[in-house]
Amino acid sequence: MNNKSAALGTDSIGSLLIKQAVPASIGILVMSLNILVDTIFVGNWIGSIAIAAINVVLPVSFFIAALGMAIGIGGSSIISRALGADNKERALKTFGNQITVTLLLTTAMVVFGLVFINEIIPAFGGKGDIFEPAKIYYRIVLYGVPLLALCMMGNNVIRAEGKPKFAMIAMIIPSVGNLILDYILINLLDMGMAGAAWATTISYGLCFLYVLWFFLSDKSELKISLPHFGLDLPILKEMSALGFVTLARQAVVSVTYLLMNNILFNIGGEASVAAYGIIGRMLMFALFPVLGVTQGFLPIAGFNYGAHKFPRVRESINKAILYAGGLGLVIFAVIMIFPEEIVSVFTKDADILSETPHYMRWVFAATPIIAIQLIGSAYFQAIGKAVPALLLTLTRQGFFFIPLIFILPHYFGELGVWISFPAADVLSTIVTGYFLNREIRKTLKE
């Protein structure tokens, strides 16, 4: 087995973070640009209702795809620590179990999603004029979601092997493919919502083919055989506990979309849902470097923790927070200065243009401090401590944000919904900072 992952335990933490975070950031950037440009294409070529329709479908497809991400991150934590401890067989068995579980769960979820299509779409805010375009988009995209889940699972395993450049390419392929297909299917062939949906689904297939090639080639250390696909109960338990952290986070994201779409529809109608669609895309796009540092941090922390190199784990935490915090400050400045210009790229609708920039400033108000929350919860997941990882992951949206979007609108109207974003960020950062500091002092002693 080609043990290139050993560099995670020997190279300097600063250089490792850059090597891991830059490809991850580029991959997330291209993926986010895809979502962003896709929204621009849809808004300009189909209409603002189409933006709202896609925003309604996102939580459903995100949740099913999140199964793959959860299995990928949960299993990758085991793989990183197993490689750090030089336990190759455990790494192989974990990877085989990841593939089996991903296929079983996502296929079942797709069948369920198609059977109850007419009930799910209205429940997630697809009402009025939004329903029909959302249904068209939903049905087609759902077919490709199992492939997306396998890609997201495989992407995390590639990163756990210490090969971030290949993980980056895996994220770039569907994004670039989707944009090209958007232009062909929506603009040239005038296929409308169906064109947008097929562009997305075909791009998932392209990503899957690349990930499959990687693991079958000599680029991967993980050469599994048929026995590795058999389910192993101890590995499943640990993978499920760690993966549930990611799944719970994505599930809360889906619930948040559901609640936000319905609350905003009741307060401001389709225009408010479309505004959230634009701000939601900016949240995915603008934070790409911070999320890249977080993704790059995971295999470094997991490998060195498995190798019992605790000073290196401490250093990785400190530098990850420093890098991510600095990037968050830059993002904050750009959003505060140019919100009108950003929103105008998405739509020419006067109602949306008049209010969305103001709301966007509120949503990004606490960006400089979110690095502590992201790195803190990621640390516990990387080292295999599922319970604190789960609780800290849920603090922002589950424990703070969701209650706030029910409480604050009573006092501030629609503005109260947007104020909930920075309030939840501040509260969750305080909680995460406390528990991370306590863990460092208790476990990661010099």
Side-chain angles (χ1 to χ4, degrees), residues 331-343:
I331 295 163
F332 170 79
V334 172
I335 296 294
M336 293 302 116
I337 297 170
F338 303 110
E340 290 85 2
E341 290 80 358
I342 292 169
V343 175

Side-chain angles (χ1 to χ4, degrees), residues 59-74 101 105-106 109 149 239-255 381 389-390 393-394 397:
V60 181
S61 58
F62 271 9
F63 179 74
I64 299 174
L67 288 170
M69 184 189 294
I71 295 163
I73 292 178
V101 173
L105 289 181
T106 56
M109 290 294 292
M239 184 168 67
S240 299
L242 293 170
F244 184 71
V245 176
T246 299
L247 185 60
R249 177 170 61 242
Q250 296 302 317
V252 172
V253 169
S254 293
V255 171
Q381 197 167 12
L390 174 63
T393 295
L394 294 180
Q397 288 185 302

Side-chain angles (χ1 to χ4, degrees), residues 103-432:
L103 284 171
L104 291 174
L105 289 181
T106 56
T107 302
M109 290 294 292
V110 168
V111 172
F112 178 84
L114 289 172
V115 169
F116 294 99
I117 185 171
N118 291 321
E119 291 77 21
I120 291 172
I121 291 175
F124 278 77
K127 303 167 185 174
D129 294 337
I130 301 174
F131 177 78
E132 283 303 326
K135 185 175 180 180
I136 293 169
Y137 189 84
Y138 172 94
R139 188 189 300 276
I140 297 169
V141 166
L142 213 57
Y143 296 138
V145 168
L147 295 178
L148 175 62
L150 286 167
C151 291
M152 299 187 84
M153 181 275 292
N155 185 275
N156 284 285
V157 177
I158 293 170
R159 193 171 286 111
E161 287 193 56
K163 301 186 176 64
K165 290 182 181 179
F166 290 98
M168 174 188 72
I169 295 170
M171 297 175 75
I172 289 174
I173 286 175
S175 302
V176 174
N178 185 46
L179 294 182
I180 295 171
L181 289 166
D182 264 346
Y183 177 75
I184 295 170
L185 299 179
I186 301 175
N187 193 39
L188 297 183
L189 300 182
D190 196 26
M191 292 176 63
M193 288 301 296
W198 278 117
T200 301
T201 297
I202 294 170
S203 70
Y204 294 162
L206 295 174
C207 179
F208 171 74
L209 290 174
Y210 174 80
V211 171
L212 181 64
W213 166 82
F214 173 84
F215 287 113
L216 293 177
S217 73
D218 59 359
K219 308 295 183 183
S220 174
E221 299 175 35
L222 301 174
K223 299 303 178 188
I224 56 177
S225 57
L226 195 59
H228 293 127
F229 290 98
L231 297 179
D232 181 285
L233 189 58
I235 287 177
L236 277 180
K237 285 183 177 179
E238 185 175 359
M239 184 168 67
S240 299
L242 293 170
F244 184 71
V245 176
T246 299
L247 185 60
R249 177 170 61 242
Q250 296 302 317
V252 172
V253 169
S254 293
V255 171
T256 300
Y257 267 96
L258 183 154
L259 295 174
M260 286 287 289
N261 285 334
N262 280 281
I263 289 171
L264 289 172
F265 185 85
N266 291 332
I267 294 175
E270 285 91 344
S272 292
V273 178
Y276 179 48
I278 292 171
I279 293 173
R281 296 309 182 284
M282 281 306 299
L283 278 170
M284 295 176 190
F285 166 71
L287 298 179
F288 78 90
V290 178
L291 297 175
V293 174
T294 305
Q295 294 244 347
F297 164 77
L298 281 166
I300 300 170
F303 187 98
N304 286 285
Y305 190 88
H308 292 89
K309 297 180 178 180
F310 295 149
R312 287 176 62 81
V313 180
R314 287 175 66 111
E315 186 183 354
S316 69
I317 294 170
N318 293 334
K319 288 192 173 176
I321 291 175
L322 178 65
Y323 293 176
L327 292 166
L329 190 60
V330 174
I331 295 163
F332 170 79
V334 172
I335 296 294
M336 293 302 116
I337 297 170
F338 303 110
E340 290 85 2
E341 290 80 358
I342 292 169
V343 175
S344 66
V345 174
F346 290 91
T347 182
K348 304 303 178 189
D349 189 304
D351 291 337
I352 298 173
L353 283 170
S354 65
E355 297 293 338
T356 307
H358 175 58
Y359 297 148
M360 187 179 291
R361 282 195 176 101
W362 275 109
V363 170
F364 283 88
T367 303
I369 65 170
I370 62 170
I372 296 171
Q373 206 276 330
L374 292 172
I375 300 297
S377 57
Y379 163 74
F380 288 99
Q381 197 167 12
I383 66 169
K385 295 191 175 182
V387 174
L390 174 63
L391 294 176
L392 291 177
T393 295
L394 294 180
T395 52
R396 182 188 177 277
Q397 288 185 302
F399 300 153
F400 295 126
F401 181 73
I402 289 177
L404 285 171
I405 60 174
F406 282 104
I407 296 169
L408 295 184
H410 287 291
Y411 301 96
F412 303 101
E414 184 174 349
L415 179 62
V417 177
W418 307 110
I419 293 174
S420 301
F421 283 88
D425 285 333
V426 171
L427 293 170
S428 61
T429 296
I430 292 170
V431 172
T432 303

